[in-house]
Structure formats: structure tokens, C-alpha cells
Amino acid sequence: MSHTQMLQQADPKRWKALALLCTAGFLTIMDTSIMQVALPVIKEALGYSQVNLQWVMNAYIIFFGGLLLLGGKLSDLFGQRRIFVWGFFILTLSSLFAGVAWNDMVLNVARAFQGAGSALITPAAMATIMTFFAANPKEMNKALAFWGLSGAAGGLAGIFLGGIITEWLRWRWTFLIYVPIGILVLFLSSGLLPKGIRRNGRIDYAGAISVTAAIVLIVYGIVIAEHNGWQSPSTICHCRSGPCYS
């Protein structure tokens, strides 16, 4: 097949779709850092202890990192767009609950669901990019570069925007800002994103649960290491993905 024929098969909406997917990547990484500046205010508003305050961030990171593999498998089985939309629906709804949280437990649970939604979004978005630009390796490299930059920009922008939002609005808007953006992304997804290729197969539920639990425990062990220390028995046991016995 000639280079011209390959270009002719490329989806004409691919660059608009890439902008949408990069926005998704930007948001999922930004969510790991946007509330850092607001943490002292959140602590006072919801009565967190200094020890428990870390869970505003850790709840997101644990479920985001722990469920990525499962999110990729689900996007293969059910189609990238469907999982992408499910992920953004979960992220948007949980951001609403995080923004209106009335105590620390509600915020922690909402943050965990935000992480779960992002774990569905990220592999589905990545797979969609690979599908969109498969016809042209040069465009593929460019698209992947934009995807990588969007995540890096999200991490940097989170701290900057978190400070501005906390200073000029309220800490709750570090979460509520995702609601209108999420609704817009959901609205645009059906017109810009293909359904994706669904692969034949089934979910090994026992395997999915065990692998996901193992990854969650590893990520949990890593995030608690800062507080408990790398040589702590709880850290070592969780990083080994096995139960601890006293």
C-alpha cells in the first residue's frame, strides 16, 4: 500500500479527536496535583488529622495506578469509546461529590472513584490514539508526543491552577472544575471518537480481582512508605502483594 493510500484511509477527525484525548490525559494527571496547595484549607474545613490528610492524594493514586491494567482489558473487550465515556462519567460524578464533600470520609471515597474513573480513561484514550494514527507512523509519533506532553503539562498546571483556584474561589472548585469540563468531553466524545475495536474474549474474574488487588497493594505500599518508612513491615508486606500476619 502506498503512502498516499495510507493517508487517504486516515480519519479526517483524528486531530480534533487527539485534542480531546490530550485534554483527557491532561485532566487525569492534573488531578494528582491540583489540590496540593488547598490541602491546609481542606484540613481545616473537613477536620482531617495531619496523618489522614495524605489520603486526599493517596486515595486517587492508589486506585488510578491499581486499576490501569483492568481498564486496558475492559477497553479491549467493550470498545475504547465506551470505556472512555464510562471513565469520564465516573470522574465527573465523583468530582461533584468531592466538591460538595461534607466530611473527610466522603472526600476520600470520592477521590478513590476519581482515580478509578481516570484508570478507565487513560488506557482507552491511549488505545484510541493508536487506532486513529495507525495508518501513518510519522503522525503516530507526533500524536504520542502530544499525548506525553499533555500529561506532563497536567502535572505542572495542577499546582499552578490549584493555587489560583484556592486563592480566588474556594478549595471545592479544585474538584468542581472537572464537572463542566467532564460534561463537555462526554458531549464531544460521541461525535469525535470511534467505537473502537472490540476483541473477542472473556474476563477472567478471579484473575482480574487477584491481579488488580496485587497492583493496588503494591501502589498502596509505595504511597505509605513515605510515612511508615521503606523498612516498615507494613510497607514490605504490601509491596510484596501478600497479606501480613502478626
Side-chain angles (χ1 to χ4, degrees):
M1 182 181 294
S2 69
H3 180 68
T4 302
Q5 289 175 319
M6 292 173 66
L7 288 177
Q8 288 175 347
Q9 292 184 358
D11 194 310
K13 297 181 294 185
R14 63 192 183 281
W15 295 109
K16 292 180 180 179
L18 178 64
L20 182 69
L21 295 169
C22 286
T23 299
F26 178 89
L27 292 174
T28 56
I29 300 302
M30 186 175 74
D31 209 6
T32 63
S33 59
I34 191 171
M35 86 298 302
Q36 287 189 30
V37 178
L39 285 178
V41 183
I42 294 174
K43 178 177 180 292
E44 295 299 324
L46 298 182
Y48 275 94
S49 67
Q50 187 60 43
V51 174
N52 291 334
L53 187 62
Q54 65 178 323
W55 289 104
V56 179
M57 296 187 63
N58 290 350
Y60 180 90
I61 294 171
I62 289 169
F63 281 84
F64 181 30
L67 298 178
L68 276 172
L69 184 61
L70 181 60
K73 181 63 174 180
L74 292 175
S75 67
D76 286 341
L77 292 178
F78 297 106
Q80 289 86 30
R81 188 177 73 185
R82 177 176 294 181
I83 298 303
F84 182 85
V85 169
W86 284 2
F88 249 102
F89 177 78
I90 294 171
L91 178 63
T92 303
L93 186 61
S94 57
S95 296
L96 176 62
F97 276 94
V100 300
W102 50 92
N103 59 42
D104 55 347
M105 181 60 69
V106 173
L107 181 55
N108 289 347
V109 172
R111 288 289 289 162
F113 274 97
Q114 280 186 308
S118 295
L120 297 180
I121 293 167
T122 301
M126 186 70 175
T128 303
I129 292 174
M130 302 293 286
T131 301
F132 258 126
F133 295 93
N136 189 323
K138 290 184 178 179
E139 288 191 350
M140 172 78 77
N141 292 336
K142 186 182 296 185
L144 291 176
F146 280 122
W147 169 255
L149 287 172
S150 68
L156 293 174
I159 298 175
F160 175 73
L161 291 176
I164 293 177
I165 291 171
T166 304
E167 178 70 23
W168 294 99
L169 296 173
R170 297 179 63 191
W171 66 267
R172 295 184 181 276
W173 280 99
T174 59
F175 305 112
L176 292 175
I177 190 175
Y178 288 90
V179 176
I181 298 175
I183 292 173
L184 180 61
V185 170
L186 289 171
F187 176 76
L188 295 175
S189 295
S190 60
L192 291 178
L193 303 182
K195 292 183 177 179
I197 301 172
R198 297 178 60 174
R199 294 180 173 84
N200 293 327
R202 63 182 182 85
I203 299 178
D204 178 5
Y205 291 99
I209 292 171
S210 60
V211 170
T212 301
I215 295 174
V216 168
L217 288 173
I218 290 172
V219 177
Y220 177 73
I222 292 172
V223 299
I224 66 172
E226 181 180 357
H227 183 263
N228 294 346
W230 285 102
Q231 296 182 348
S232 167
S234 61
T235 301
I236 294 171
C237 289
H238 283 108
C239 286
R240 287 178 177 174
S241 303
C244 300
Y245 299 98
S246 57

